[in-house]
Amino acid sequence: MSITYDRHFIGGEWVAPSTPNVIEVFSASTGEHIGSVPGSGNSDVDAAVEAARRAFDDPHGWAHWAPERRATAIDSLAHELEIRNDEMARRVSMQNGMPISIAERPTGGFPAIYLRYVAGLLRSAQLEVERPHLLGGTTIVRKEPIGVVAAIAPWNQPQILASLKYAPAIAAGCTVVLKPSPETVLDSMLFAEAVAASDVPDGVVNVIPGGRETGAYLVSHRDIDKVTFTGSTAAGRSIAEVCGRLLRPVSLELGGKSAAIVLDDADLDLERISDDLFDATLRNNGQTCFLSTRILAPRSRYDEVVDTLCDFARSLKVGDALDPSTQIGPMVSSAHRDRVEGYMAKGSSDGARLVTGGGRPKGLEQGWFVEPTVFADVSNGAAIAQEEIFGPVLSIIVYDTIDDAVRIANDSHFGLGGTVWTTDATRGMDVARRVQTGTIGINRYSVDPGAPFGGVKGSGIGRELGPGSLDPYQQLKSIYT
Ligand code: NAD
């Protein structure tokens, strides 16, 4: 059954689009047409920004609500998302190929958990403090919402990544125009339904589905006060340039090519480690920004690491994303599969040794599938070690000493995630401290909504999540009395 929308969610209403453009959506697993959503023209962006501006500027509106009232409305949105959890997971899974077992739990659950977390931060926030003025008298320092926020999300974890933006923004008192990726619009419309059913007032959250041009027009719109973007490093650079010229605050969560540093005392027993290894390296078909896809293996145990990863990749069940037993689903689109296959070909032509995979799985000709793939004997300078593939492809690189391993891990344009594998917690911490990255795990990688998340170098600017979640959406004002 096709999921069809013919209206946008702007200003709390379902309004007819200004353009006849339609975004057609296809199942990543079967190639079948599964729905359509109206695209957005510049007039739709104008209408969404205007609605957000009106809601923000209302002298009795959202930005001026007492914290408890705003937090209660945010809790109601969490509830509306929870009751749509199963359908949300199904839509995400069909569109981007995320295995339903992954989509159901984190994708459905995370936004609601995070909304309740930011509501809690708002309830306990000190929005105004009085301090002694250093030259005499007092100064009142206020945290004020920054204004109208343009939030741009990618397709790979569309609902989680959108929530990392709209949740803290609205908790801070801002209003939001959310632009989802054209690959994942059906879930964004279900999100809009949840907003419509919640106590969040009209115009506080607006959704305009569209592609790169829609995003670019939104970023430079005169009535936007802050841009928050998650996506590729290339797009992030171009958005940063525009925001730099406009002196517009911008947060950037970009790509990654993280390292798994396997120490010589690591446990390599797949019976014990395969779940954690999967979450850290190949989760969501490799279509996840923080995955440790460069495996740094000590020379003393190199062959053992290669054999373990080969067995691990071959053990994974590849199949339709909606099948609960599937571990590796398809790539999001045929074009993205071509890109991943291009890297597989480049790995071999650059001299790496293909250990397993490298092709398309048999019997799954309808969707955009590739086999879980492992390359060994990879040079850290090779394209498959330096560039983000965003597919189920692991590259094994040998190292001699721990200093060597840390140097190779840090020899990257990116710095988003990473892992250390060891049975010695002290050694694990020592190495984790030395890696230039925004986040790193020891023997597992599990993002904590209560701790800051983000990247260094080409992986971005700023942090999301954690106790400072609201900061990027607030500005400080000092009132001298
Ligand atoms: P993308 O950069 O192509 O697109 C991301 C979003 O930005 C989409 O909505 C797109 O329409 C929009 N967009 C693209 N160019 C734009 C421009 N110039 N101006 C305004 N909007 C623009 O990325 P993608 O392929 O959708 O997502 C995959 C990328 O996202 C990977 O590089 C991945 O690492 C990254 N990512 C990063 C994080 C993180 O937290 N650091 C999380 C998930 C994904």
Side-chain angles (χ1 to χ4, degrees), residues 242-316:
V242 173
C243 291
R245 204 170 54 242
L246 296 170
L247 292 182
R248 183 163 288 173
V250 59
S251 307
L252 301 167
E253 296 286 349
L254 309 176
K257 189 74 193 185
S258 302
I261 305 180
V262 182
L263 299 188
D264 56 9
D265 61 3
D267 182 359
L268 294 178
D269 184 337
L270 280 178
E271 291 222 341
R272 283 192 294 269
I273 68 164
S274 65
D275 286 353
D276 289 326
L277 188 62
F278 178 73
D279 283 346
T281 60
L282 288 179
R283 183 185 182 75
N284 192 19
N285 322 329
Q287 300 180 141
T288 303
C289 53
F290 55 66
L291 292 176
S292 296
T293 51
R294 283 186 298 150
I295 314 292
L296 311 194
R299 197 174 297 279
S300 60
R301 295 184 74 192
Y302 186 70
D303 292 343
E304 216 185 319
V305 172
V306 173
D307 290 348
T308 302
L309 285 168
C310 176
D311 292 347
F312 167 63
R314 284 183 184 165
S315 74
L316 299 171

Side-chain angles (χ1 to χ4, degrees), residues 115-248:
L115 278 161
R116 292 208 161 90
Y117 176 74
V118 296
L121 292 178
L122 174 58
R123 288 187 170 101
S124 62
Q126 265 199 300
L127 296 175
E128 215 169 83
V129 289
E130 194 176 300
R131 296 180 188 157
H133 187 307
L134 284 186
L135 303 179
T138 54
T139 299
I140 292 148
V141 179
R142 280 172 53 75
K143 287 182 175 172
E144 299 185 341
I146 206 162
V148 177
V149 173
I152 299 177
W155 49 262
N156 64 313
Q157 277 281 10
Q159 285 303 307
I160 291 181
L161 296 168
S163 77
L164 264 51
K165 304 183 176 325
Y166 68 72
I170 64 175
C174 296
T175 59
V176 174
V177 177
L178 171 66
K179 192 207 79 67
S181 194
E183 287 86 349
T184 44
V185 283
L186 300 179
D187 56 303
S188 75
M189 290 288 113
L190 190 59
F191 165 70
E193 288 177 25
V195 175
S198 77
D199 297 332
V200 172
D202 294 352
V204 171
V205 177
N206 309 274
V207 183
I208 44 157
R212 195 187 163 287
E213 293 74 23
T214 307
Y217 183 71
L218 175 64
V219 164
S220 60
H221 197 287
R222 67 185 178 286
D223 255 342
I224 291 295
D225 298 306
K226 153 100 191 176
V227 175
T228 173
F229 171 78
T230 297
S232 62
T233 299
R237 271 187 217 291
S238 127
I239 289 169
E241 279 172 18
V242 173
C243 291
R245 204 170 54 242
L246 296 170
L247 292 182
R248 183 163 288 173

Side-chain angles (χ1 to χ4, degrees), residues 423-439:
T423 48
D424 182 332
T426 308
R427 287 180 88 207
M429 276 301 292
D430 284 346
V431 173
R433 287 192 185 97
R434 295 176 61 192
V435 179
Q436 293 161 1
T437 186
T439 62

